[in-house]
Amino acid sequence: MVLRYWEPTARLDRADTEFDRIVTRFFGTAPRAADGIAPAADVIADGNDVVISVELPGLSPADIDIEVAPRRLTISGERNATEVAEGQRVLARGRRHGRFRTDFRLPAGVAADNVKANYEHGVLTVRVHEVTKPAPEPVKIAVEGGESASVKAVDAE
């Protein structure tokens, strides 16, 4: 029997590239990630709302930060690597870990107080309702199903 190394992320990298191409085609920009780690995401228009669903398995709502700025929504956090007990060794790591940050371009006139977030079964769902005037002060967005995620509203200047 021959033991060969399997690269499970090769197909995921191709899927990420294809997803970015499709999002760019329809929305003019693709979600961008810092440090090369981008969680899988869907962006859906629902009437005047934009619904963003991001896969973040293994995290708690307290591990997720959501920041709303003029024409931008940023989701960031950190996923830690699985602990390895003494006497064990890692043969392969297929799950990504480390800091992540994903930016989404928003329509003009979105206010932080019209952004709602829900985290359930490892999926963060952010619903952004379009309004005409951005919020001038930071607003905390409650994440249902657990603790609140940290959210900041940032002025354009």
Side-chain angles (χ1 to χ4, degrees), residues 5-22 31 33 35-40 93-96:
Y5 181 74
W6 177 52
E7 182 62 49
T9 60
R11 287 187 176 160
L12 292 173
D13 290 340
R14 286 192 301 268
D16 283 346
T17 301
E18 181 65 14
F19 175 77
D20 288 349
R21 186 188 66 75
I22 291 169
D35 303 326
I37 300 173
R93 287 209 188 258
R95 295 185 288 175
R96 294 180 179 195

Side-chain angles (χ1 to χ4, degrees), residues 37-56:
I37 300 173
D42 293 329
V43 181
I44 299 169
D46 181 13
N48 287 336
D49 294 356
V50 174
V51 180
I52 301 169
S53 298
V54 182
E55 292 182 3
L56 299 170

